Amino acid sequence: MTQNFSFNPFSDGSAYTHLRKVFDDQKYYNNFLKSSSSETFLSPRSGLFRNKYLSTPNGLVEFSKTSLKNAKALVEEMVNDKSSTSGKLQYIKKLDQLSDLLCRVIDMAEFVRVAHPGHKWVNAAQQTHEIMYEFMNQLNTNVELYSILRDILEDPSIVSQLSDEEVKVGEYLRQDFERSGIHMDPKTRDNFVKITQHISVLGSHFNNEMQNLDNYWCAVSTEEFDSIEDDQLKREILAYQSNHTNIKEKDTVYIPVVSHIPYTILGSVKSENIRRKIWVALHSSPRDQIDTLDKFITYRAILAEMLGYQSFAHYQLEHKMAKTPENVVAFLSNLQKSLLEHGVIKELTELYQCKPDAKPNATANEIIESVKPWDRDYLLTLLQQKQPDTHPNENISDYLSIGTIIAGLSKLFECLYQVEFVPVATSKDETWDYNQVRKLEVRDQTTKRPLGFLYLDFWSNKVHPSHFTIVCSRRLNNEPISEMSKIVQLDGDYQLPVISLICNFPKPFKSTIGRFAGIDNSKPTLLNLDQVDTLFHEMGHAMHSMLGRTELHNLSGTRCATDFVELPSVLMESFSKDPRILCEIARHYETDKPLPRDLLDSQVQRKGLLDASETYMQSKMAMLDQKLHSADILQSTADYSSTEVYHNLEAQLKVFSDQESTWHGKFPHLFSYGAVYYSYLLDRAIAEKIWNALFKEDPWSRAAGEKLRNRVLKWGGVKDPWECLGDLLDDDDVRKGDERSMETIARA
């Protein structure tokens, strides 16, 4: 029997209120789901992300096998038709179709492996990965496929009939073949593939062991322990020690390096020696983790040498915006010099003056040497206590519920791009958590047509804030629309992008008293300013995928140069930090009162006390990434040590210098962004240029938003990034994409 629901999401006349409540009010959201009975609540199983195969974990494996069968048939068709003119003209489109066919499975499996809470799903994803990875290796070393592509690209009569986008994808795929050792003799190529697979296994192990510590206990003397002034903290330490270890030594207390305890110590304990011990323990990786790191960066260097490159960094940067590691190092060095002169020394001086033994006339070098990494949180706490609090009884998070921010983002995108968010009810097996995951249609306001779909899980207990591309936008290439609609969502003959954003924000609070009283007094999830920045950042990636309409999968949305891909997301952080944006969209979750400007200003001031130093620390990480992937590793003997490289660089760069821990074993981007971690800083510098040129006067400017959309975002990876930026900034020096372009971007 069908229940008749009378839910009206626009009863108060506000689409923004509806959008806000979908995220902030679970009861309201449940009614919204039930009201969509014909489409979702009582609908047949639609499968994960509306892929008909993915109603069960076994369906993921079946999807991979079917896709693999289709991929092999497509390869056979391409090879058999290699001699005809029509076959040559369709070849690059079919290669792109092949790539999309495989990526739909691989990207889905990677998402499930990382984010899905179900063990059976995760196991199926691992099985799928193994099936697809073996075939991908076969394709990457398929000499016949490469030879056909090479001959097409070297035939002017064929190239003249291809679109610029097709030629670009063809060149991109040829580079992919050549960078996979296609020119090598079979024996050498087999060895190359084995090393590549070994790197993948090592990298997976490195990421899986990232959270492990060398030691989970930190020994301090009873005298040191007694110096801790917080009695409650001392009781927690002793209780944890008593419950979790049998180790008992005279005159020694073992402090656990888990939970909130080490962070509380770093922020509140006066004893510098205790803080030092805790900080080093908290940032020290197991010996095995460092060995894993040393192995995969060594193997990377060997692969680069096999391909004729001076280093892995040279290999990685050849087709990036920066082009060479020398350009990256010069950019980072100039940035560090500028930061020291225009912020870092001032910030460190303010911290130093909070030290009990601070000298009144200390030099800059003395200050840098004196302020240690284990001093940072403690001294920052003291410094923040000196800042005036204009609203001591008010919490800024009360104005920053998730629903409020999502509704505000929709309002911003409507203004900039004429794009809106429309909540869509999901069927029961369309997501990994029916009650938790929200789905939004991203819709063009002018045409009312969908641009793509967002699946948002803000309460994951598995994943740090992340952006996942599930399906890319592209035009179908003679594929039957009826069949494609079973696995992707379409707009005409366009495959619509599907993106998932995952965050680990705290779940909404419901008081025990209210629950037993039968009263639903749930609070929405309330964010701090850092979490708002995170949400804006991840949404920048999502909109990059949504606003592109490329013909081919390989250049769609975020499939552009790695050191360009962070630009839209970093630029979005400028919007989240602008009071003209935040005070307009933020509302108190109970009173609907707008966020007071002076409350925001005071919180931003407290939050930004170490902005320059934080950027400097990130530049140190980027420099370490370059050092570990430089030519030096091949010149070293078997006793190469990444720890020695790390400590030497820390000694050289000085600020918050760490020469005791093995923190580099906890730096995930060393694998995922090998030699390209500088991208965040380069894109931050570019974003600042864009902000000052387009949005500084008016962050709500429709003209500026349309310019950004049409000259950068819509192109995905089709146009050269430097050309996009030159067009956007009307700057010929930037457009050239040479060393001078890097210097122009680096200048304040």
Side-chain angles (χ1 to χ4, degrees):
M1 178 176 174
T2 303
Q3 187 172 354
N4 187 18
F5 297 101
S6 58
F7 176 74
N8 179 3
F10 304 113
S11 57
D12 66 353
S14 170
Y16 297 116
T17 300
H18 172 51
L19 182 55
R20 180 176 169 179
K21 286 185 174 181
V22 161
F23 286 87
D24 283 350
D25 187 331
Q26 186 65 42
K27 186 176 181 179
Y28 181 94
Y29 180 63
N30 290 342
N31 285 336
F32 169 62
L33 290 177
K34 293 174 183 177
S35 73
S36 306
S37 58
S38 62
E39 282 292 316
T40 59
F41 191 66
L42 300 175
S43 67
R45 300 172 76 83
S46 66
L48 193 62
F49 297 110
R50 300 194 71 81
N51 183 320
K52 297 290 186 183
Y53 283 92
L54 307 185
S55 294
T56 64
N58 288 338
L60 178 57
V61 178
E62 185 61 31
F63 179 48
S64 68
K65 291 178 178 177
T66 300
S67 298
L68 196 57
K69 179 181 177 182
N70 292 337
K72 290 177 179 178
L74 185 57
V75 169
E76 184 177 356
E77 177 186 322
M78 293 160 62
V79 171
N80 290 340
D81 201 18
K82 65 182 178 182
S83 299
S84 72
T85 300
S86 63
K88 292 177 181 178
L89 290 173
Q90 284 288 311
Y91 189 78
I92 291 174
K93 280 187 177 178
K94 288 182 178 178
L95 267 183
D96 184 79
Q97 178 184 336
L98 176 65
S99 177
D100 180 59
L101 194 159
L102 297 172
C103 283
R104 278 202 304 266
V105 182
I106 293 169
D107 290 343
M108 180 74 76
E110 178 61 15
F111 170 82
V112 169
R113 188 185 68 80
V114 172
H116 202 291
H119 294 299
K120 290 183 179 179
W121 279 96
V122 172
N123 291 338
Q126 183 60 39
Q127 187 178 346
T128 295
H129 174 80
E130 292 169 3
I131 292 170
M132 302 308 292
Y133 193 79
E134 180 181 357
F135 183 66
M136 288 291 288
N137 276 334
Q138 294 172 15
L139 286 181
N140 289 338
T141 56
N142 188 314
V143 176
E144 186 172 21
L145 286 179
Y146 165 73
S147 299
I148 299 170
L149 176 62
R150 179 200 59 204
D151 293 345
I152 287 171
L153 293 172
E154 293 176 359
D155 185 341
S157 66
I158 296 296
V159 171
S160 65
Q161 300 180 67
L162 300 175
S163 68
D164 291 343
E165 192 171 335
E166 287 174 286
V167 173
K168 181 139 189 174
V169 167
E171 294 290 356
Y172 169 78
L173 294 173
R174 177 161 73 171
Q175 291 166 12
D176 233 23
F177 275 119
E178 292 171 352
R179 290 158 70 88
S180 298
I182 201 73
H183 292 311
M184 298 172 181
D185 63 81
K187 184 176 180 181
T188 305
R189 188 164 59 244
D190 286 346
N191 188 39
F192 182 94
V193 171
K194 287 177 182 176
I195 295 175
T196 301
Q197 292 173 328
H198 198 37
I199 290 173
S200 177
V201 171
L202 288 168
S204 178
H205 182 72
F206 181 74
N207 286 336
N208 290 340
E209 303 298 317
M210 193 76 60
Q211 304 303 321
N212 291 346
L213 300 176
D214 190 40
N215 196 326
Y216 288 87
W217 297 95
C218 180
V220 301
S221 68
T222 52
E223 184 179 357
E224 288 174 322
F225 180 76
D226 290 341
S227 72
I228 297 175
E229 296 180 346
D230 186 337
D231 290 336
Q232 175 61 29
L233 176 61
K234 289 161 75 172
R235 285 193 292 270
E236 287 185 40
I237 292 170
L238 292 175
Y240 196 98
Q241 177 182 307
S242 175
N243 292 333
H244 293 85
T245 181
N246 294 321
I247 302 175
K248 292 184 179 179
E249 294 182 14
K250 187 179 180 182
D251 301 327
T252 302
V253 175
Y254 285 88
I255 299 177
V257 193
V258 295
S259 185
H260 70 282
I261 291 174
Y263 300 100
T264 301
I265 289 172
L266 290 174
S268 65
V269 170
K270 286 183 179 179
S271 169
E272 181 175 346
N273 198 42
I274 292 180
R275 294 200 310 271
R276 181 185 65 80
K277 289 180 178 180
I278 290 293
W279 191 92
V280 172
L282 195 60
H283 292 80
S284 290
S285 303
R287 179 66 253 177
D288 287 350
Q289 178 75 344
I290 302 302
D291 287 343
T292 299
L293 171 62
D294 289 353
K295 286 175 183 175
F296 78 68
I297 60 176
T298 301
Y299 281 130
R300 279 176 166 174
I302 292 170
L303 284 190
E305 186 177 46
M306 291 174 72
L307 291 168
Y309 291 90
Q310 185 178 340
S311 70
F312 184 76
H314 285 87
Y315 163 82
Q316 279 283 76
L317 298 175
E318 181 182 21
H319 300 293
K320 304 295 189 293
M321 290 180 71
K323 294 184 171 62
T324 70
E326 290 78 15
N327 284 346
V328 173
V329 170
F331 168 76
L332 293 173
S333 298
N334 289 335
L335 177 63
Q336 288 166 352
K337 181 180 178 182
S338 176
L339 287 167
L340 283 169
E341 293 174 354
H342 300 105
V344 171
I345 298 300
K346 178 179 180 294
E347 291 173 358
L348 291 182
T349 299
E350 291 177 343
L351 287 182
Y352 174 77
Q353 289 170 349
C354 295
K355 290 176 71 79
D357 58 348
K359 297 191 298 185
N361 299 312
T363 66
N365 281 336
E366 287 176 327
I367 290 170
I368 291 173
E369 291 290 340
S370 176
V371 180
K372 302 297 185 182
W374 45 84
D375 294 329
R376 179 195 177 282
D377 291 354
Y378 177 69
L379 297 180
L380 181 60
T381 300
L382 297 180
L383 184 59
Q384 287 175 333
Q385 290 171 356
K386 296 181 180 181
Q387 306 301 309
D389 189 350
T390 58
H391 292 69
N393 299 318
E394 199 159 19
N395 186 349
I396 194 170
S397 293
D398 289 344
Y399 295 85
L400 305 173
S401 71
I402 282 183
T404 298
I405 299 304
I406 291 294
L409 280 163
S410 184
K411 184 176 183 179
L412 176 62
F413 293 146
E414 286 176 33
C415 195
L416 297 180
Y417 310 128
Q418 291 185 281
V419 165
E420 63 182 340
F421 292 161
V422 180
V424 179
T426 60
S427 60
K428 288 203 169 183
D429 65 342
E430 187 177 344
T431 70
W432 50 103
D433 190 319
Y434 180 62
N435 290 310
Q436 184 164 295
V437 180
R438 309 303 199 248
K439 180 182 180 181
L440 297 179
E441 177 187 309
V442 181
R443 180 184 295 173
D444 187 298
Q445 279 191 306
T446 304
T447 65
K448 300 302 179 183
R449 296 175 74 94
L451 297 174
F453 297 94
L454 297 175
Y455 290 81
L456 308 174
D457 182 356
F458 292 132
W459 303 282
S460 172
N461 60 4
K462 287 195 69 177
V463 186
H464 292 297
S466 302
H467 164 276
F468 294 90
T469 299
I470 307 301
V471 177
C472 273
S473 170
R474 73 173 177 97
R475 189 186 293 276
L476 301 185
N477 182 34
N478 298 322
E479 298 131 283
I481 289 179
S482 59
E483 289 301 310
M484 291 298 293
S485 63
K486 293 179 181 178
I487 56 175
V488 295
Q489 299 172 71
L490 301 172
D491 177 28
D493 63 347
Y494 261 100
Q495 179 173 289
L496 288 171
V498 176
I499 302 298
S500 181
L501 300 184
I502 310 291
C503 292
N504 56 348
F505 299 145
K507 290 190 176 182
F509 166 79
K510 178 184 286 187
S511 76
T512 303
I513 295 175
R515 186 166 64 251
F516 283 122
I519 301 170
D520 186 357
N521 62 343
S522 299
K523 273 189 179 181
T525 292
L526 304 175
L527 306 178
N528 59 39
L529 289 174
D530 285 330
Q531 291 167 331
V532 171
D533 288 344
T534 295
L535 194 46
F536 270 66
H537 179 102
E538 299 302 338
M539 197 61 76
H541 283 308
M543 293 307 294
H544 196 185
S545 294
M546 296 294 158
L547 295 178
R549 261 300 186 266
T550 54
E551 296 287 307
L552 302 177
H553 149 89
N554 275 286
L555 300 176
S556 175
T558 55
R559 297 190 188 277
C560 56
T562 312
D563 50 1
F564 191 61
V565 76
E566 292 296 331
L567 175 61
S569 53
V570 169
L571 179 60
M572 280 303 298
E573 293 180 40
S574 296
F575 287 92
S576 68
K577 289 177 168 61
D578 193 299
R580 293 168 295 178
I581 297 291
L582 215 53
C583 289
E584 174 67 23
I585 68 176
R587 291 287 185 275
H588 195 283
Y589 78 96
E590 288 182 315
T591 67
D592 206 43
K593 171 186 169 186
L595 173 62
R597 174 66 182 266
D598 55 347
L599 172 59
L600 176 61
D601 288 344
S602 68
Q603 293 295 312
V604 168
Q605 183 180 4
R606 291 164 67 89
K607 176 174 174 282
L609 290 171
L610 294 182
D611 275 355
S613 297
E614 295 291 351
T615 303
Y616 190 91
M617 295 296 286
Q618 193 173 15
S619 77
K620 290 204 304 179
M621 296 156 68
M623 195 71 89
L624 175 65
D625 185 35
Q626 291 300 308
K627 283 282 187 184
L628 292 178
H629 292 102
S630 71
D632 294 345
I633 188 169
L634 289 174
Q635 298 167 6
S636 303
T637 58
D639 62 351
Y640 173 82
S641 168
S642 61
T643 300
E644 184 177 343
V645 173
Y646 170 56
H647 288 163
N648 287 342
L649 184 64
E650 285 286 303
Q652 175 189 334
L653 298 179
K654 295 183 179 180
V655 175
F656 291 122
S657 178
D658 169 27
Q659 297 171 59
E660 297 191 41
S661 84
T662 51
W663 167 85
H664 56 302
K666 299 183 171 299
F667 184 10
H669 293 79
L670 285 177
F671 181 72
S672 58
Y673 264 60
V676 196
Y677 182 71
Y678 71 89
S679 300
Y680 289 96
L681 293 166
L682 176 62
D683 288 340
R684 196 169 298 282
I686 296 171
E688 185 176 357
K689 292 284 185 187
I690 294 173
W691 179 264
N692 289 335
L694 271 69
F695 299 104
K696 186 176 182 180
E697 296 302 318
D698 179 10
W700 295 93
S701 169
R702 167 72 56 81
E706 287 298 317
K707 192 174 183 181
L708 177 64
R709 176 177 182 170
N710 291 325
R711 299 193 182 183
V712 175
L713 298 178
K714 84 170 189 178
W715 292 103
V718 173
K719 285 181 70 172
D720 181 271
W722 289 112
E723 186 180 344
C724 289
L725 293 175
D727 291 345
L728 184 67
L729 300 171
D730 300 313
D731 190 323
D732 288 335
D733 285 342
V734 169
R735 191 178 283 109
K736 293 174 184 175
D738 54 15
E739 291 181 26
R740 188 171 180 181
S741 302
M742 291 282 287
E743 292 173 4
T744 300
I745 292 299
R747 284 199 299 266

